[in-house]
Structures are given as C-alpha cells and as structure tokens.
Amino acid sequence: MKKSNSVTIPKSSIWALLIYFVLSFYHFGNTMMIYFFDYATFSAIHENKTMVFQVFNDRMFFVNTIPSILMVVSSVYLYFKNPEIISRRIIGISALLGIISVATLIIFINPIHVSLISNGLTLEIEKQLLPISFYFELIPAIFQMLLVFYMLNIYTNNTKVFGRWLFILVFASLFYSKGTGGIESWVNYPFWSVIGNTDWLAYRNSSSPLRFFGTFLIPAFLPILLSIPLFWWRPKVFPRYFIVIYWLANIWIFVITAIYFVPKIQLPLNDAYSTLAIDNLRTYDFPLRGTVVWFMEILLAWMFLRIGNDRFKENQR
C-alpha cells in the first residue's frame, strides 16, 4: 500500500485545492467578522438605519454571498474531481458542512439582513438572527475549518512537520484575514459614511475591543511572528528570500497602520464622527494596504502551488 505522500496528485487538482482552501478561509473570516463584530454593533444604529443597512446589504452580496457560493461550487468540483491524496469522504463531509453554512446564509440570514433596512436590529430580530447564524452558519464553518486543516496537512505531508504547520498557519491566517478585512474594508467602511453623528459614538463603543482584537487584529498580524521561524524551518521547495519578502510586506502593513491609519484616522474617530476621516480611510486603505495584501496572497498561493508541483514531480520519477 502506498503512503499518502507517494500518491499521485494531478496538476489540475492542485489548483482546485488552492481555490477551495482560499475560499474556505475567506468564508470563515467573513462569518466570524459579521457574527462577532458587526452584529454586536448594529443595535446602536437608529438615525440613518435605512441608508446604513441598504449599503450593508448591497455590499454583502458581492463581498460575502457570491464568494460563499463559489466556495460551495469549488467543493463540489473537488469532490467529483477526486484529487486522490485526500479521501473523497473527507472532501464530501467538508463540502456538506460548507453547503449547510452557505444555504443558511442565503435562505435564512440574507432575508433577515434585508429586514434590517426597514426595522434596524430590533430585539426580536436579534433573537432570531443570532441563534440561526451561530448554530447553522458559524458552527458548520468551524467544523469545516477543522477538516480543511486536516486536508492541508495531508496535501503538505511531503514536507517536515514543523515547517509544514508554520506554513499552514501563515496560509490560514492570511486568507482568513482576507475574509475579515473584506467585511471591514468593503462593507463596514462604506456604511460608516452614512451612519451620522447621532449614532456614531454609540456605534463605535458598542463592540468589545477584545472581540475585535481576537477576531480581526491578532490573526492579521500573527504571520509577522510566524514568518520568523518559517525562515529557517520552511518547506524546502521555496527559497528563503520569498519568506523575507513576505515578512517585509507584513511589516509594511503593520508600520503604515501604526503611523498613519491608527493615529490619523482610527483614534480621532473614537472621539468624534468625521466624514473626512472616513473618506480618507476609504481612499487610502486599498492603495497603501490592500495592494500589499494582494501581493502577499499571490506569493503564498505560489508557495502552495510549489509544494503541490514538487509532489507531482516526485511521483513522476
């Protein structure tokens, strides 16, 4: 019987796995950010609730719903494609959990989101929304993530264990943060512009900082620390200078956030509502941080493909 790391993996399956893993972490990041951060703040929005929740719903369709559907499509494709190195049963269970999570989003949660436009987040809506989202969207997504980590471990098991898990954690953190950051940058920032002065400070102070740090900030900056040991214990299929480039890109985002976005925009917004500050945030966030994140994503995707291609070449010998 062949060991799992000697089983042939077609090149097309490498791409299919990459797409599924990226979209799975992105969907999980979306779900975590919405549940633990956005829902906690919505009850503070009253004055301009129609405009705020209209922007929220319009943006969520492209940022959350469409990528979630694509994740399900990629999981079904992967199940029938059968990349051989991973049990079809594991892929099937992972796909089913994703389907449950996304079906809940489309059938139950999105209509509730639409009702926010007229009603805002009332106590009755909150009592309906939070349990459905927790038990039928978030919990399946958590179990799906456990299987995704298991599948990633199998995919990379032609590399040494410590370096493998460093890479997996960096990979997961980046694309999870793509999901949380997508909600923050492309959904939340736009509706900040229409919240208005009356509700702003209540909205700003309605979410626990601990939740924001745990859900958003720690996963976003964790790769800065993980990349240091990864420099020495990386999978050998990619060179050290790629780790250096990735680490420097992380440092750039950390520095520009610390010297510009936090003191010039975020901290002043803690004290007063400012459409100018929000406009500056929306104007400069993507060119100064988003473009660098895209570069980092391409770099890590390339590393992922290198591991798969190296495995493919080994099995051709």
Side-chain angles (χ1 to χ4, degrees), residues 26 30 34 38 42 52 55-64 179-193 203 282:
Y26 177 87
N30 270 193
I34 295 163
D38 280 25
F42 283 172
V52 168
V55 172
F56 174 78
N57 277 275
D58 291 345
R59 294 283 179 150
M60 282 285 285
F61 178 74
F62 295 102
V63 176
N64 178 245
T180 57
I183 296 298
E184 182 77 340
S185 298
W186 302 106
V187 178
N188 294 353
Y189 293 168
F191 74 60
W192 285 9
S193 299
Y203 166 82
R282 296 181 63 186

PDB file of all heavy atoms in Angstrom, residues 26 30 34 38 42 52 55-64 179-193 203 282:
ATOM      1  N   TYR A  26     -11.577  32.340   3.559  1.00  0.00           N
ATOM      2  CA  TYR A  26     -12.227  33.639   3.332  1.00  0.00           C
ATOM      3  C   TYR A  26     -13.650  33.622   3.892  1.00  0.00           C
ATOM      4  O   TYR A  26     -14.061  34.560   4.585  1.00  0.00           O
ATOM      5  CB  TYR A  26     -12.236  33.954   1.839  1.00  0.00           C
ATOM      6  CG  TYR A  26     -12.943  35.239   1.485  1.00  0.00           C
ATOM      7  CD1 TYR A  26     -12.268  36.456   1.488  1.00  0.00           C
ATOM      8  CD2 TYR A  26     -14.306  35.242   1.155  1.00  0.00           C
ATOM      9  CE1 TYR A  26     -12.924  37.640   1.178  1.00  0.00           C
ATOM     10  CE2 TYR A  26     -14.959  36.419   0.846  1.00  0.00           C
ATOM     11  CZ  TYR A  26     -14.263  37.617   0.852  1.00  0.00           C
ATOM     12  OH  TYR A  26     -14.922  38.778   0.550  1.00  0.00           O
ATOM     13  N   ASN A  30     -15.160  35.954   6.890  1.00  0.00           N
ATOM     14  CA  ASN A  30     -16.398  36.716   6.725  1.00  0.00           C
ATOM     15  C   ASN A  30     -17.370  36.430   7.862  1.00  0.00           C
ATOM     16  O   ASN A  30     -17.904  37.343   8.499  1.00  0.00           O
ATOM     17  CB  ASN A  30     -17.078  36.322   5.416  1.00  0.00           C
ATOM     18  CG  ASN A  30     -16.657  37.148   4.218  1.00  0.00           C
ATOM     19  OD1 ASN A  30     -17.288  37.096   3.170  1.00  0.00           O
ATOM     20  ND2 ASN A  30     -15.598  37.927   4.324  1.00  0.00           N
ATOM     21  N   ILE A  34     -18.630  39.099  10.812  1.00  0.00           N
ATOM     22  CA  ILE A  34     -20.025  39.534  10.856  1.00  0.00           C
ATOM     23  C   ILE A  34     -20.668  39.157  12.186  1.00  0.00           C
ATOM     24  O   ILE A  34     -21.336  39.978  12.818  1.00  0.00           O
ATOM     25  CB  ILE A  34     -20.821  38.926   9.683  1.00  0.00           C
ATOM     26  CG1 ILE A  34     -20.292  39.456   8.351  1.00  0.00           C
ATOM     27  CG2 ILE A  34     -22.310  39.245   9.818  1.00  0.00           C
ATOM     28  CD1 ILE A  34     -20.715  38.640   7.160  1.00  0.00           C
ATOM     29  N   ASP A  38     -19.862  42.768  13.641  1.00  0.00           N
ATOM     30  CA  ASP A  38     -20.943  43.580  13.065  1.00  0.00           C
ATOM     31  C   ASP A  38     -22.248  43.452  13.841  1.00  0.00           C
ATOM     32  O   ASP A  38     -22.886  44.470  14.153  1.00  0.00           O
ATOM     33  CB  ASP A  38     -21.157  43.192  11.602  1.00  0.00           C
ATOM     34  CG  ASP A  38     -20.137  43.838  10.686  1.00  0.00           C
ATOM     35  OD1 ASP A  38     -19.043  44.157  11.173  1.00  0.00           O
ATOM     36  OD2 ASP A  38     -20.426  44.022   9.498  1.00  0.00           O
ATOM     37  N   PHE A  42     -24.801  46.608  15.495  1.00  0.00           N
ATOM     38  CA  PHE A  42     -25.977  47.050  14.732  1.00  0.00           C
ATOM     39  C   PHE A  42     -27.086  47.641  15.598  1.00  0.00           C
ATOM     40  O   PHE A  42     -27.862  48.480  15.133  1.00  0.00           O
ATOM     41  CB  PHE A  42     -26.531  45.894  13.907  1.00  0.00           C
ATOM     42  CG  PHE A  42     -25.728  45.588  12.665  1.00  0.00           C
ATOM     43  CD1 PHE A  42     -26.013  44.465  11.906  1.00  0.00           C
ATOM     44  CD2 PHE A  42     -24.701  46.414  12.262  1.00  0.00           C
ATOM     45  CE1 PHE A  42     -25.283  44.183  10.755  1.00  0.00           C
ATOM     46  CE2 PHE A  42     -23.958  46.140  11.124  1.00  0.00           C
ATOM     47  CZ  PHE A  42     -24.257  45.020  10.364  1.00  0.00           C
ATOM     48  N   VAL A  52     -27.877  52.966   6.069  1.00  0.00           N
ATOM     49  CA  VAL A  52     -26.785  52.110   6.555  1.00  0.00           C
ATOM     50  C   VAL A  52     -27.005  50.666   6.123  1.00  0.00           C
ATOM     51  O   VAL A  52     -26.113  50.023   5.542  1.00  0.00           O
ATOM     52  CB  VAL A  52     -26.665  52.201   8.092  1.00  0.00           C
ATOM     53  CG1 VAL A  52     -25.734  51.103   8.615  1.00  0.00           C
ATOM     54  CG2 VAL A  52     -26.153  53.567   8.507  1.00  0.00           C
ATOM     55  N   VAL A  55     -26.732  49.996   2.336  1.00  0.00           N
ATOM     56  CA  VAL A  55     -25.333  49.864   1.933  1.00  0.00           C
ATOM     57  C   VAL A  55     -24.787  48.501   2.370  1.00  0.00           C
ATOM     58  O   VAL A  55     -24.108  47.807   1.603  1.00  0.00           O
ATOM     59  CB  VAL A  55     -24.472  50.994   2.536  1.00  0.00           C
ATOM     60  CG1 VAL A  55     -22.984  50.753   2.270  1.00  0.00           C
ATOM     61  CG2 VAL A  55     -24.900  52.346   1.963  1.00  0.00           C
ATOM     62  N   PHE A  56     -25.104  48.110   3.599  1.00  0.00           N
ATOM     63  CA  PHE A  56     -24.655  46.812   4.119  1.00  0.00           C
ATOM     64  C   PHE A  56     -25.111  45.665   3.219  1.00  0.00           C
ATOM     65  O   PHE A  56     -24.312  44.802   2.831  1.00  0.00           O
ATOM     66  CB  PHE A  56     -25.186  46.624   5.541  1.00  0.00           C
ATOM     67  CG  PHE A  56     -24.920  45.264   6.129  1.00  0.00           C
ATOM     68  CD1 PHE A  56     -23.671  44.933   6.621  1.00  0.00           C
ATOM     69  CD2 PHE A  56     -25.931  44.309   6.196  1.00  0.00           C
ATOM     70  CE1 PHE A  56     -23.423  43.679   7.158  1.00  0.00           C
ATOM     71  CE2 PHE A  56     -25.708  43.064   6.742  1.00  0.00           C
ATOM     72  CZ  PHE A  56     -24.446  42.738   7.224  1.00  0.00           C
ATOM     73  N   ASN A  57     -26.387  45.648   2.867  1.00  0.00           N
ATOM     74  CA  ASN A  57     -26.917  44.568   2.037  1.00  0.00           C
ATOM     75  C   ASN A  57     -26.341  44.590   0.624  1.00  0.00           C
ATOM     76  O   ASN A  57     -25.997  43.535   0.075  1.00  0.00           O
ATOM     77  CB  ASN A  57     -28.443  44.642   1.978  1.00  0.00           C
ATOM     78  CG  ASN A  57     -29.113  43.987   3.159  1.00  0.00           C
ATOM     79  OD1 ASN A  57     -29.340  42.784   3.162  1.00  0.00           O
ATOM     80  ND2 ASN A  57     -29.431  44.776   4.183  1.00  0.00           N
ATOM     81  N   ASP A  58     -26.232  45.774   0.047  1.00  0.00           N
ATOM     82  CA  ASP A  58     -25.676  45.874  -1.310  1.00  0.00           C
ATOM     83  C   ASP A  58     -24.244  45.361  -1.352  1.00  0.00           C
ATOM     84  O   ASP A  58     -23.857  44.633  -2.278  1.00  0.00           O
ATOM     85  CB  ASP A  58     -25.716  47.331  -1.784  1.00  0.00           C
ATOM     86  CG  ASP A  58     -27.132  47.828  -2.037  1.00  0.00           C
ATOM     87  OD1 ASP A  58     -28.052  46.987  -2.120  1.00  0.00           O
ATOM     88  OD2 ASP A  58     -27.322  49.061  -2.124  1.00  0.00           O
ATOM     89  N   ARG A  59     -23.443  45.745  -0.373  1.00  0.00           N
ATOM     90  CA  ARG A  59     -22.041  45.337  -0.335  1.00  0.00           C
ATOM     91  C   ARG A  59     -21.881  43.854  -0.006  1.00  0.00           C
ATOM     92  O   ARG A  59     -21.003  43.178  -0.535  1.00  0.00           O
ATOM     93  CB  ARG A  59     -21.292  46.191   0.697  1.00  0.00           C
ATOM     94  CG  ARG A  59     -21.192  47.661   0.323  1.00  0.00           C
ATOM     95  CD  ARG A  59     -20.124  47.842  -0.720  1.00  0.00           C
ATOM     96  NE  ARG A  59     -19.994  49.224  -1.137  1.00  0.00           N
ATOM     97  CZ  ARG A  59     -18.854  49.763  -1.559  1.00  0.00           C
ATOM     98  NH1 ARG A  59     -17.755  49.029  -1.583  1.00  0.00           N
ATOM     99  NH2 ARG A  59     -18.813  51.016  -1.960  1.00  0.00           N
ATOM    100  N   MET A  60     -22.729  43.357   0.890  1.00  0.00           N
ATOM    101  CA  MET A  60     -22.617  41.954   1.318  1.00  0.00           C
ATOM    102  C   MET A  60     -22.847  40.988   0.166  1.00  0.00           C
ATOM    103  O   MET A  60     -22.277  39.892   0.146  1.00  0.00           O
ATOM    104  CB  MET A  60     -23.622  41.676   2.434  1.00  0.00           C
ATOM    105  CG  MET A  60     -23.177  42.191   3.791  1.00  0.00           C
ATOM    106  SD  MET A  60     -21.903  41.169   4.540  1.00  0.00           S
ATOM    107  CE  MET A  60     -22.897  39.764   5.055  1.00  0.00           C
ATOM    108  N   PHE A  61     -23.661  41.366  -0.783  1.00  0.00           N
ATOM    109  CA  PHE A  61     -23.932  40.468  -1.904  1.00  0.00           C
ATOM    110  C   PHE A  61     -22.645  40.121  -2.643  1.00  0.00           C
ATOM    111  O   PHE A  61     -22.405  38.960  -2.988  1.00  0.00           O
ATOM    112  CB  PHE A  61     -24.935  41.111  -2.865  1.00  0.00           C
ATOM    113  CG  PHE A  61     -25.242  40.265  -4.066  1.00  0.00           C
ATOM    114  CD1 PHE A  61     -26.047  39.139  -3.956  1.00  0.00           C
ATOM    115  CD2 PHE A  61     -24.708  40.582  -5.308  1.00  0.00           C
ATOM    116  CE1 PHE A  61     -26.318  38.341  -5.067  1.00  0.00           C
ATOM    117  CE2 PHE A  61     -24.968  39.797  -6.420  1.00  0.00           C
ATOM    118  CZ  PHE A  61     -25.777  38.674  -6.300  1.00  0.00           C
ATOM    119  N   PHE A  62     -21.808  41.115  -2.876  1.00  0.00           N
ATOM    120  CA  PHE A  62     -20.576  40.887  -3.630  1.00  0.00           C
ATOM    121  C   PHE A  62     -19.429  40.413  -2.747  1.00  0.00           C
ATOM    122  O   PHE A  62     -18.599  39.602  -3.178  1.00  0.00           O
ATOM    123  CB  PHE A  62     -20.167  42.180  -4.352  1.00  0.00           C
ATOM    124  CG  PHE A  62     -21.146  42.612  -5.402  1.00  0.00           C
ATOM    125  CD1 PHE A  62     -22.055  43.639  -5.148  1.00  0.00           C
ATOM    126  CD2 PHE A  62     -21.181  41.989  -6.643  1.00  0.00           C
ATOM    127  CE1 PHE A  62     -22.968  44.032  -6.110  1.00  0.00           C
ATOM    128  CE2 PHE A  62     -22.096  42.368  -7.613  1.00  0.00           C
ATOM    129  CZ  PHE A  62     -22.990  43.395  -7.349  1.00  0.00           C
ATOM    130  N   VAL A  63     -19.376  40.896  -1.510  1.00  0.00           N
ATOM    131  CA  VAL A  63     -18.250  40.581  -0.634  1.00  0.00           C
ATOM    132  C   VAL A  63     -18.434  39.238   0.064  1.00  0.00           C
ATOM    133  O   VAL A  63     -17.453  38.524   0.314  1.00  0.00           O
ATOM    134  CB  VAL A  63     -18.056  41.707   0.408  1.00  0.00           C
ATOM    135  CG1 VAL A  63     -16.953  41.361   1.410  1.00  0.00           C
ATOM    136  CG2 VAL A  63     -17.734  43.019  -0.293  1.00  0.00           C
ATOM    137  N   ASN A  64     -19.680  38.876   0.363  1.00  0.00           N
ATOM    138  CA  ASN A  64     -19.944  37.691   1.173  1.00  0.00           C
ATOM    139  C   ASN A  64     -20.711  36.598   0.428  1.00  0.00           C
ATOM    140  O   ASN A  64     -20.266  35.442   0.377  1.00  0.00           O
ATOM    141  CB  ASN A  64     -20.709  38.117   2.429  1.00  0.00           C
ATOM    142  CG  ASN A  64     -21.076  36.959   3.334  1.00  0.00           C
ATOM    143  OD1 ASN A  64     -22.252  36.654   3.522  1.00  0.00           O
ATOM    144  ND2 ASN A  64     -20.084  36.321   3.915  1.00  0.00           N
ATOM    145  N   GLY A 179     -10.856  37.489   4.608  1.00  0.00           N
ATOM    146  CA  GLY A 179     -12.300  37.478   4.864  1.00  0.00           C
ATOM    147  C   GLY A 179     -12.730  38.528   5.870  1.00  0.00           C
ATOM    148  O   GLY A 179     -13.707  39.253   5.644  1.00  0.00           O
ATOM    149  N   THR A 180     -12.010  38.641   6.999  1.00  0.00           N
ATOM    150  CA  THR A 180     -12.365  39.658   7.992  1.00  0.00           C
ATOM    151  C   THR A 180     -12.114  41.057   7.426  1.00  0.00           C
ATOM    152  O   THR A 180     -12.922  41.964   7.604  1.00  0.00           O
ATOM    153  CB  THR A 180     -11.566  39.475   9.293  1.00  0.00           C
ATOM    154  OG1 THR A 180     -10.157  39.519   9.003  1.00  0.00           O
ATOM    155  CG2 THR A 180     -11.906  38.160   9.968  1.00  0.00           C
ATOM    156  N   GLY A 181     -10.981  41.215   6.735  1.00  0.00           N
ATOM    157  CA  GLY A 181     -10.656  42.513   6.155  1.00  0.00           C
ATOM    158  C   GLY A 181     -11.601  42.910   5.042  1.00  0.00           C
ATOM    159  O   GLY A 181     -11.876  44.107   4.847  1.00  0.00           O
ATOM    160  N   GLY A 182     -12.118  41.924   4.310  1.00  0.00           N
ATOM    161  CA  GLY A 182     -13.088  42.216   3.263  1.00  0.00           C
ATOM    162  C   GLY A 182     -14.354  42.834   3.830  1.00  0.00           C
ATOM    163  O   GLY A 182     -14.901  43.799   3.270  1.00  0.00           O
ATOM    164  N   ILE A 183     -14.824  42.300   4.959  1.00  0.00           N
ATOM    165  CA  ILE A 183     -16.002  42.875   5.609  1.00  0.00           C
ATOM    166  C   ILE A 183     -15.691  44.271   6.133  1.00  0.00           C
ATOM    167  O   ILE A 183     -16.479  45.213   5.950  1.00  0.00           O
ATOM    168  CB  ILE A 183     -16.480  41.970   6.758  1.00  0.00           C
ATOM    169  CG1 ILE A 183     -16.942  40.611   6.214  1.00  0.00           C
ATOM    170  CG2 ILE A 183     -17.602  42.641   7.543  1.00  0.00           C
ATOM    171  CD1 ILE A 183     -18.108  40.677   5.265  1.00  0.00           C
ATOM    172  N   GLU A 184     -14.539  44.431   6.773  1.00  0.00           N
ATOM    173  CA  GLU A 184     -14.185  45.731   7.348  1.00  0.00           C
ATOM    174  C   GLU A 184     -14.027  46.801   6.265  1.00  0.00           C
ATOM    175  O   GLU A 184     -14.590  47.895   6.370  1.00  0.00           O
ATOM    176  CB  GLU A 184     -12.890  45.593   8.162  1.00  0.00           C
ATOM    177  CG  GLU A 184     -12.435  46.863   8.842  1.00  0.00           C
ATOM    178  CD  GLU A 184     -13.227  47.213  10.093  1.00  0.00           C
ATOM    179  OE1 GLU A 184     -14.366  46.719  10.261  1.00  0.00           O
ATOM    180  OE2 GLU A 184     -12.723  48.001  10.903  1.00  0.00           O
ATOM    181  N   SER A 185     -13.253  46.486   5.221  1.00  0.00           N
ATOM    182  CA  SER A 185     -12.913  47.499   4.216  1.00  0.00           C
ATOM    183  C   SER A 185     -14.021  47.753   3.199  1.00  0.00           C
ATOM    184  O   SER A 185     -14.259  48.902   2.806  1.00  0.00           O
ATOM    185  CB  SER A 185     -11.635  47.084   3.474  1.00  0.00           C
ATOM    186  OG  SER A 185     -10.548  47.002   4.357  1.00  0.00           O
ATOM    187  N   TRP A 186     -14.681  46.678   2.749  1.00  0.00           N
ATOM    188  CA  TRP A 186     -15.614  46.806   1.627  1.00  0.00           C
ATOM    189  C   TRP A 186     -17.076  46.827   2.037  1.00  0.00           C
ATOM    190  O   TRP A 186     -17.956  47.102   1.214  1.00  0.00           O
ATOM    191  CB  TRP A 186     -15.373  45.682   0.615  1.00  0.00           C
ATOM    192  CG  TRP A 186     -13.971  45.700   0.099  1.00  0.00           C
ATOM    193  CD1 TRP A 186     -12.964  44.837   0.417  1.00  0.00           C
ATOM    194  CD2 TRP A 186     -13.399  46.651  -0.812  1.00  0.00           C
ATOM    195  NE1 TRP A 186     -11.804  45.181  -0.243  1.00  0.00           N
ATOM    196  CE2 TRP A 186     -12.041  46.282  -1.007  1.00  0.00           C
ATOM    197  CE3 TRP A 186     -13.901  47.759  -1.483  1.00  0.00           C
ATOM    198  CZ2 TRP A 186     -11.184  46.998  -1.841  1.00  0.00           C
ATOM    199  CZ3 TRP A 186     -13.057  48.477  -2.312  1.00  0.00           C
ATOM    200  CH2 TRP A 186     -11.715  48.094  -2.484  1.00  0.00           C
ATOM    201  N   VAL A 187     -17.363  46.527   3.314  1.00  0.00           N
ATOM    202  CA  VAL A 187     -18.746  46.597   3.808  1.00  0.00           C
ATOM    203  C   VAL A 187     -18.872  47.672   4.892  1.00  0.00           C
ATOM    204  O   VAL A 187     -19.687  48.584   4.786  1.00  0.00           O
ATOM    205  CB  VAL A 187     -19.223  45.228   4.349  1.00  0.00           C
ATOM    206  CG1 VAL A 187     -20.639  45.339   4.909  1.00  0.00           C
ATOM    207  CG2 VAL A 187     -19.170  44.167   3.254  1.00  0.00           C
ATOM    208  N   ASN A 188     -18.036  47.562   5.934  1.00  0.00           N
ATOM    209  CA  ASN A 188     -18.189  48.465   7.076  1.00  0.00           C
ATOM    210  C   ASN A 188     -17.782  49.906   6.766  1.00  0.00           C
ATOM    211  O   ASN A 188     -18.524  50.841   7.081  1.00  0.00           O
ATOM    212  CB  ASN A 188     -17.384  47.947   8.266  1.00  0.00           C
ATOM    213  CG  ASN A 188     -17.924  46.639   8.801  1.00  0.00           C
ATOM    214  OD1 ASN A 188     -18.969  46.172   8.379  1.00  0.00           O
ATOM    215  ND2 ASN A 188     -17.202  46.027   9.723  1.00  0.00           N
ATOM    216  N   TYR A 189     -16.611  50.090   6.179  1.00  0.00           N
ATOM    217  CA  TYR A 189     -16.183  51.464   5.882  1.00  0.00           C
ATOM    218  C   TYR A 189     -17.204  52.227   5.039  1.00  0.00           C
ATOM    219  O   TYR A 189     -17.491  53.397   5.331  1.00  0.00           O
ATOM    220  CB  TYR A 189     -14.823  51.475   5.175  1.00  0.00           C
ATOM    221  CG  TYR A 189     -13.645  51.018   6.011  1.00  0.00           C
ATOM    222  CD1 TYR A 189     -12.411  50.739   5.418  1.00  0.00           C
ATOM    223  CD2 TYR A 189     -13.743  50.865   7.397  1.00  0.00           C
ATOM    224  CE1 TYR A 189     -11.321  50.325   6.170  1.00  0.00           C
ATOM    225  CE2 TYR A 189     -12.662  50.435   8.154  1.00  0.00           C
ATOM    226  CZ  TYR A 189     -11.446  50.168   7.535  1.00  0.00           C
ATOM    227  OH  TYR A 189     -10.368  49.757   8.274  1.00  0.00           O
ATOM    228  N   PRO A 190     -17.785  51.624   3.997  1.00  0.00           N
ATOM    229  CA  PRO A 190     -18.785  52.359   3.216  1.00  0.00           C
ATOM    230  C   PRO A 190     -20.006  52.788   4.017  1.00  0.00           C
ATOM    231  O   PRO A 190     -20.524  53.896   3.820  1.00  0.00           O
ATOM    232  CB  PRO A 190     -19.162  51.374   2.102  1.00  0.00           C
ATOM    233  CG  PRO A 190     -17.936  50.541   1.925  1.00  0.00           C
ATOM    234  CD  PRO A 190     -17.396  50.361   3.315  1.00  0.00           C
ATOM    235  N   PHE A 191     -20.507  51.929   4.935  1.00  0.00           N
ATOM    236  CA  PHE A 191     -21.697  52.373   5.663  1.00  0.00           C
ATOM    237  C   PHE A 191     -21.339  53.303   6.824  1.00  0.00           C
ATOM    238  O   PHE A 191     -22.208  53.980   7.364  1.00  0.00           O
ATOM    239  CB  PHE A 191     -22.619  51.220   6.074  1.00  0.00           C
ATOM    240  CG  PHE A 191     -22.188  50.336   7.215  1.00  0.00           C
ATOM    241  CD1 PHE A 191     -21.970  50.837   8.482  1.00  0.00           C
ATOM    242  CD2 PHE A 191     -22.076  48.957   7.023  1.00  0.00           C
ATOM    243  CE1 PHE A 191     -21.622  50.009   9.538  1.00  0.00           C
ATOM    244  CE2 PHE A 191     -21.722  48.116   8.075  1.00  0.00           C
ATOM    245  CZ  PHE A 191     -21.500  48.643   9.337  1.00  0.00           C
ATOM    246  N   TRP A 192     -20.055  53.354   7.205  1.00  0.00           N
ATOM    247  CA  TRP A 192     -19.657  54.370   8.194  1.00  0.00           C
ATOM    248  C   TRP A 192     -19.985  55.767   7.678  1.00  0.00           C
ATOM    249  O   TRP A 192     -20.316  56.660   8.449  1.00  0.00           O
ATOM    250  CB  TRP A 192     -18.157  54.276   8.472  1.00  0.00           C
ATOM    251  CG  TRP A 192     -17.739  53.115   9.320  1.00  0.00           C
ATOM    252  CD1 TRP A 192     -18.496  52.061   9.718  1.00  0.00           C
ATOM    253  CD2 TRP A 192     -16.429  52.910   9.862  1.00  0.00           C
ATOM    254  NE1 TRP A 192     -17.750  51.181  10.465  1.00  0.00           N
ATOM    255  CE2 TRP A 192     -16.479  51.686  10.576  1.00  0.00           C
ATOM    256  CE3 TRP A 192     -15.239  53.610   9.807  1.00  0.00           C
ATOM    257  CZ2 TRP A 192     -15.352  51.174  11.234  1.00  0.00           C
ATOM    258  CZ3 TRP A 192     -14.130  53.108  10.457  1.00  0.00           C
ATOM    259  CH2 TRP A 192     -14.189  51.901  11.172  1.00  0.00           C
ATOM    260  N   SER A 193     -19.867  55.948   6.363  1.00  0.00           N
ATOM    261  CA  SER A 193     -20.068  57.270   5.762  1.00  0.00           C
ATOM    262  C   SER A 193     -21.488  57.782   5.927  1.00  0.00           C
ATOM    263  O   SER A 193     -21.728  58.991   5.787  1.00  0.00           O
ATOM    264  CB  SER A 193     -19.717  57.229   4.270  1.00  0.00           C
ATOM    265  OG  SER A 193     -18.367  56.867   4.073  1.00  0.00           O
ATOM    266  N   TYR A 203     -22.283  53.600  18.307  1.00  0.00           N
ATOM    267  CA  TYR A 203     -21.856  52.519  17.408  1.00  0.00           C
ATOM    268  C   TYR A 203     -20.397  52.158  17.651  1.00  0.00           C
ATOM    269  O   TYR A 203     -20.040  50.986  17.761  1.00  0.00           O
ATOM    270  CB  TYR A 203     -22.049  52.943  15.954  1.00  0.00           C
ATOM    271  CG  TYR A 203     -21.344  52.051  14.955  1.00  0.00           C
ATOM    272  CD1 TYR A 203     -21.926  50.853  14.540  1.00  0.00           C
ATOM    273  CD2 TYR A 203     -20.086  52.395  14.446  1.00  0.00           C
ATOM    274  CE1 TYR A 203     -21.274  50.020  13.644  1.00  0.00           C
ATOM    275  CE2 TYR A 203     -19.429  51.566  13.548  1.00  0.00           C
ATOM    276  CZ  TYR A 203     -20.024  50.385  13.148  1.00  0.00           C
ATOM    277  OH  TYR A 203     -19.369  49.558  12.269  1.00  0.00           O
ATOM    278  N   ARG A 282     -11.231  55.305   3.384  1.00  0.00           N
ATOM    279  CA  ARG A 282     -11.673  54.570   2.198  1.00  0.00           C
ATOM    280  C   ARG A 282     -10.770  54.845   0.991  1.00  0.00           C
ATOM    281  O   ARG A 282     -10.562  53.965   0.142  1.00  0.00           O
ATOM    282  CB  ARG A 282     -13.115  54.937   1.874  1.00  0.00           C
ATOM    283  CG  ARG A 282     -14.108  54.512   2.955  1.00  0.00           C
ATOM    284  CD  ARG A 282     -15.525  54.881   2.564  1.00  0.00           C
ATOM    285  NE  ARG A 282     -15.940  54.182   1.357  1.00  0.00           N
ATOM    286  CZ  ARG A 282     -17.085  54.402   0.723  1.00  0.00           C
ATOM    287  NH1 ARG A 282     -17.919  55.323   1.173  1.00  0.00           N
ATOM    288  NH2 ARG A 282     -17.396  53.723  -0.363  1.00  0.00           N
TER     289      ARG A 282
END
